[in-house]
Amino acid sequence: MDDGDRFESSLRKASMREVADLARVAISSVSRVLSEHPDVSPEMRARVLAAVRRLNYEPDFLAQSLRRGATLSVGYLVSDISNPLHATIACGAESVFRAAGYSMTLMNSEDDPSLDVKHIRFFVRRRVDGLLLSLASDTSLETVDALSRISVPIVLVDRAVPTLDSRVSHVNSDHRTGVRAAVEHLLALGHRRIALISGDPDVLPVRERIAALKEAVVAAGLQDETLVLRGPLTTQHGESATETVLNLQPRPTAIIAGGNQLLAGCLRSLQRHRIRIPEDLSLVTCDEIPLSELYSPPIASVTRDTVELGRVSAELLLRRINDEGPPESRILPTVFLPRPSCGSPPLG
Amino acid sequence: MDDGDRFESSLRKASMREVADLARVAISSVSRVLSEHPDVSPEMRARVLAAVRRLNYEPDFLAQSLRRGATLSVGYLVSDISNPLHATIACGAESVFRAAGYSMTLMNSEDDPSLDVKHIRFFVRRRVDGLLLSLASDTSLETVDALSRISVPIVLVDRAVPTLDSRVSHVNSDHRTGVRAAVEHLLALGHRRIALISGDPDVLPVRERIAALKEAVVAAGLQDETLVLRGPLTTQHGESATETVLNLQPRPTAIIAGGNQLLAGCLRSLQRHRIRIPEDLSLVTCDEIPLSELYSPPIASVTRDTVELGRVSAELLLRRINDEGPPESRILPTVFLPRPSCGSPPLG
DNA sequence: TTGAAAGCGCTAACAC
DNA sequence: GTGTTAGCGCTTTCAA
């Protein structure tokens, strides 16, 4: 490699114009070669490709996107990517997008519905080809309004906006079935005073979990002695709600942590008070957190394949982007895994 | 809102041309108003803004980027975003980028150096303004070559490529100090046969941890009875390496899990063999995993502020993008947190 | 088979 | 203070 080559191939972004000049062909011919147009002579092809190599040319995606009207990029809106639950969804989605030549841009809405709206606008201005949304709130009017005003394909991930049903795809987990199984398990063990440490009901999974708790009690023909403690889906709320539960008279005999972050806070509080599980209190979590199955004792959980959730969401979005049919809804299973954190309620 | 409005404001992306026509001004005037150019009369401003609202106009970022030569977007390359360690780094970085008006696009390289290269090329074609890289391997020649051929600002996160020192910024954690403190703690407790379950040495933290182990032993004037088990940074390797350790005669009395994923696998194996911690074996982890501090017993760890790591990385990248000085290096502290998983070695 | 030229939506230099 | 115009780098008719 001589010095000329080394100079040419380094650091500067060459334009198609320069490639055309070097190859002594028209710029449109370069374009044809690179987009594999059938009608190009082998000689020209070779000349162009040589120039491309020599200049280390890479087509400008921006210019291509502007011209073609597609960016091959999608936006993923999530409340908090540092939550392992969302991170695995993102991972599943990204692998599907990547395989299809799409890139995924990420924005955290930090559980703030007004950021939901801001970021959706942002993505639209950036002309993403589609949007994967795990909204901070699927009940906020501003968000629903913003969504109804835009035309990009949308997939809601574990969220529901009934007024948009005909325009957006949905991928949800069947939280209700999983939580019902968990509650039935607790009821069968003899628990009656069951506390659900819950998020606020402005996202679908929270609403479903609350409904499932009530449903299971009603279905069992029992009087409702359950308790729902609402608050943000944070470890802080998990911790303080657990404190509340522990101070109640009579004290609930089982806690369902309605989210993985809530569980972390809950465990912190239980440890501080040296509550024995399951002798003093039974515990179930909704969504795992790393090590929850290796905890002492292993913690029963309502769980699901979140990587798959991400993959399916991405697939539905690509289908919409490529105009392969109308919006669809998918419901993926959840499963209740009984583990030693559930036992009989303490006597008395 | 009348029907006309409803029609105009919904679903179609209006162009600046249409806004100009509706407001009966030149297209450049629209541009001036929107980019807050000082010399615009209040009347025109009002006319333009009215038209903008009426058409629900959003400027096309793509066209702006092409024209301005900046995309206000950066790429983040990471081996696996579903690892909480990387997810929190991403979270810290994203918040800084977002505050500065930048978006962050994510690609997983799945611990495959060839994907590192592919994704770097991909980002360059997309004309990102900068790159945050947690490479799968910082020793791969192809990667180094690819990096030396591109001109976008780069920040290496917890990675080192000596030949690129003058061209890229670095943000590293001081793994060496943290691991040395951990080893010194174990030595003080009487441990001599210490096993480090390690990743492969093609990323900086792994190399530093191995070096720190040796350093600490030498500094203590002891004969080296340590053992390093290399492999991928996965739970599988953590598990199988632990099996290996448990079968050794004489068996090591302490294990250092050189990464959070390795810890998860290690714990699984220890539980299966009913190894008591710290009575039978002492344990330290490098980087926490959710619940590792709430484990029974709580697990000693070499840890660091990963959100801060992400934030600082983003700040250095923005500084380079805005040409505010040459590439910089930052070393952020790690800290060893002794916890009950470390005790005296078993007798005999 | 190849080249010339229009234009994607925007910004900025220049004119008035 | 506002309008006209030349591109940013590419794709794609339309002619030749």
Side-chain angles (χ1 to χ4, degrees):
Chain A
M1 190 188 269
D2 66 21
D3 277 349
D5 268 341
R6 186 166 293 139
F7 174 76
E8 295 292 9
S9 65
S10 71
L11 300 186
R12 274 203 56 267
K13 285 162 192 153
S15 74
M16 188 177 271
R17 174 78 267 152
E18 300 173 67
V19 175
D21 289 350
L22 181 61
R24 300 181 174 287
V25 298
I27 190 171
S28 51
S29 297
V30 178
S31 177
R32 281 199 197 90
V33 169
L34 293 176
S35 44
E36 323 220 344
H37 190 96
D39 298 343
V40 285
S41 67
E43 312 92 84
M44 197 184 71
R45 214 184 127 67
R47 292 242 300 285
V48 167
L49 289 180
V52 164
R53 301 191 84 83
R54 198 161 193 292
L55 295 174
N56 199 27
Y57 171 73
E58 305 257 25
D60 187 330
F61 213 90
L62 227 54
Q64 291 182 320
S65 300
L66 183 62
R67 194 41 238 238
R68 292 176 172 157
T71 54
L72 294 184
S73 74
V74 301
Y76 179 39
L77 178 70
V78 63
S79 58
D80 172 19
I81 188 63
S82 74
N83 183 334
L85 177 77
H86 294 134
T88 51
I89 295 174
C91 208
E94 195 266 347
S95 69
V96 169
F97 287 132
R98 184 148 44 84
Y102 281 73
S103 69
M104 187 177 89
T105 297
L106 186 91
M107 304 223 94
N108 288 327
S109 58
E110 300 172 359
D111 282 316
D112 177 351
S114 74
L115 283 183
D116 274 352
V117 175
K118 262 187 77 175
H119 296 347
I120 290 167
R121 291 240 153 80
F122 184 87
F123 280 134
V124 169
R125 273 208 311 279
R126 298 225 162 197
R127 297 295 188 259
V128 293
D129 292 340
L131 238 25
L132 226 54
L133 302 177
S134 288
L135 299 164
S137 162
D138 57 9
T139 55
S140 153
L141 290 178
E142 293 84 54
T143 306
V144 175
D145 183 60
L147 290 179
S148 69
R149 288 172 119 71
I150 63 178
S151 57
V152 287
I154 292 172
V155 173
L156 295 182
V157 184
D158 243 357
R159 298 292 182 273
V161 181
T163 54
L164 258 43
D165 268 358
S166 58
R167 292 213 18 245
V168 309
S169 293
H170 297 257
V171 183
N172 298 317
S173 294
D174 181 11
H175 301 281
R176 209 176 273 237
T177 299
V179 173
R180 268 196 68 159
V183 177
E184 283 159 8
H185 181 70
L186 290 171
L187 292 175
L189 286 168
H191 294 274
R192 292 298 176 269
R193 294 191 305 278
I194 301 173
L196 171 62
I197 298 182
S198 167
D200 285 314
D202 30 42
V203 291
L204 179 75
V206 169
R207 297 193 293 271
E208 292 289 298
R209 288 169 186 143
I210 295 173
L213 172 63
K214 302 299 182 185
E215 261 182 33
V217 171
V218 169
L222 296 167
Q223 191 190 335
D224 187 355
E225 298 177 66
T226 66
L227 177 71
V228 177
L229 294 104
R230 296 185 167 88
L233 284 162
T234 61
T235 55
Q236 290 74 24
H237 171 56
E239 191 164 352
S240 64
T242 304
E243 299 286 327
T244 303
V245 168
L246 294 180
N247 286 325
L248 288 175
Q249 289 298 344
R251 186 201 269 180
T253 60
I255 287 180
I256 301 176
N260 60 355
Q261 305 285 75
L262 297 173
L263 172 67
C266 178
L267 287 175
R268 196 179 307 273
S269 169
L270 294 177
Q271 284 200 6
R272 188 172 42 239
H273 293 280
R274 306 197 185 290
I275 304 294
R276 292 169 307 159
I277 306 173
E279 293 81 0
D280 302 328
L281 189 89
S282 287
L283 183 60
V284 173
T285 181
C286 299
D287 292 327
E288 308 243 14
I289 192 171
L291 297 195
S292 61
E293 55 167 332
L294 294 178
Y295 197 79
S296 311
I299 298 166
S301 76
V302 176
T303 189
R304 49 186 168 147
D305 186 341
T306 49
V307 172
E308 177 69 4
L309 181 60
R311 272 197 296 254
V312 171
S313 301
E315 281 160 8
L316 289 202
L317 185 55
L318 288 175
R319 205 162 302 165
R320 291 291 297 146
I321 289 174
N322 299 324
D323 233 336
E324 300 167 0
E328 304 170 67
S329 272
R330 289 289 171 78
I331 299 192
L332 303 181
T334 60
V335 51
F336 171 60
L337 301 174
R339 293 201 184 110
S341 67
C342 293
S344 302
L347 299 171
Chain B
M1 191 187 270
D2 66 21
D3 278 348
D5 269 342
R6 186 166 292 140
F7 175 75
E8 294 291 11
S9 66
S10 71
L11 299 186
R12 273 202 58 265
K13 285 161 192 152
S15 73
M16 188 177 271
R17 175 76 268 152
E18 299 173 68
V19 176
D21 289 351
L22 182 61
R24 301 178 174 289
V25 298
I27 190 171
S28 53
S29 297
V30 178
S31 177
R32 280 198 197 91
V33 169
L34 294 177
S35 43
E36 322 219 342
H37 190 96
D39 297 342
V40 285
S41 67
E43 311 92 83
M44 196 186 68
R45 214 183 127 67
R47 291 242 300 285
V48 168
L49 290 180
V52 164
R53 301 192 84 83
R54 199 160 191 293
L55 294 174
N56 200 25
Y57 170 72
E58 305 258 24
D60 186 330
F61 213 91
L62 229 53
Q64 292 182 319
S65 301
L66 183 62
R67 192 44 236 241
R68 292 177 174 158
T71 54
L72 294 185
S73 74
V74 300
Y76 179 40
L77 178 70
V78 62
S79 57
D80 172 18
I81 188 63
S82 73
N83 182 334
L85 177 77
H86 294 133
T88 50
I89 295 174
C91 209
E94 195 266 347
S95 68
V96 169
F97 287 133
R98 184 150 43 84
Y102 281 73
S103 69
M104 186 177 89
T105 297
L106 187 91
M107 305 222 94
N108 288 327
S109 58
E110 300 172 359
D111 281 316
D112 177 350
S114 74
L115 283 183
D116 275 351
V117 175
K118 263 188 74 175
H119 295 348
I120 289 167
R121 290 241 153 81
F122 184 87
F123 280 134
V124 169
R125 274 208 311 280
R126 298 225 162 198
R127 296 295 188 261
V128 293
D129 292 340
L131 237 27
L132 226 53
L133 302 177
S134 288
L135 298 163
S137 161
D138 56 10
T139 55
S140 153
L141 289 178
E142 292 82 55
T143 306
V144 174
D145 184 59
L147 290 179
S148 69
R149 288 172 118 72
I150 63 178
S151 58
V152 287
I154 292 172
V155 173
L156 295 182
V157 184
D158 243 355
R159 297 295 182 273
V161 181
T163 55
L164 259 43
D165 268 358
S166 57
R167 291 215 17 247
V168 310
S169 294
H170 296 258
V171 183
N172 298 316
S173 294
D174 181 10
H175 301 281
R176 207 175 273 239
T177 300
V179 173
R180 268 196 69 158
V183 177
E184 284 160 7
H185 181 71
L186 290 171
L187 292 175
L189 286 168
H191 294 273
R192 292 297 176 270
R193 295 191 304 279
I194 301 173
L196 172 62
I197 298 182
S198 167
D200 284 314
D202 32 41
V203 292
L204 180 75
V206 169
R207 296 193 293 272
E208 292 289 299
R209 287 169 187 143
I210 295 173
L213 172 63
K214 302 300 182 184
E215 259 181 33
V217 170
V218 169
L222 296 168
Q223 192 190 336
D224 187 354
E225 298 178 66
T226 66
L227 177 70
V228 177
L229 294 105
R230 296 184 166 90
L233 284 162
T234 60
T235 55
Q236 291 73 24
H237 171 55
E239 191 164 352
S240 65
T242 304
E243 299 286 326
T244 303
V245 168
L246 295 180
N247 286 324
L248 287 175
Q249 288 298 343
R251 184 201 271 179
T253 60
I255 287 180
I256 301 176
N260 59 355
Q261 306 285 75
L262 297 172
L263 173 67
C266 177
L267 287 175
R268 196 180 307 273
S269 170
L270 294 177
Q271 284 199 7
R272 188 172 43 239
H273 293 279
R274 306 199 185 289
I275 304 294
R276 294 168 306 160
I277 305 173
E279 293 81 359
D280 302 328
L281 189 90
S282 288
L283 183 61
V284 173
T285 180
C286 299
D287 293 326
E288 307 244 14
I289 193 171
L291 297 195
S292 61
E293 54 167 333
L294 294 178
Y295 197 79
S296 312
I299 298 166
S301 76
V302 175
T303 189
R304 48 187 169 146
D305 185 341
T306 49
V307 172
E308 177 69 4
L309 181 59
R311 271 197 296 252
V312 171
S313 302
E315 282 161 7
L316 289 201
L317 186 55
L318 289 175
R319 205 162 303 167
R320 291 291 297 146
I321 289 174
N322 299 324
D323 232 337
E324 300 167 1
E328 306 170 66
S329 272
R330 289 287 172 79
I331 299 192
L332 304 181
T334 61
V335 51
F336 171 60
L337 301 174
R339 293 201 184 111
S341 67
C342 294
S344 302
L347 300 171

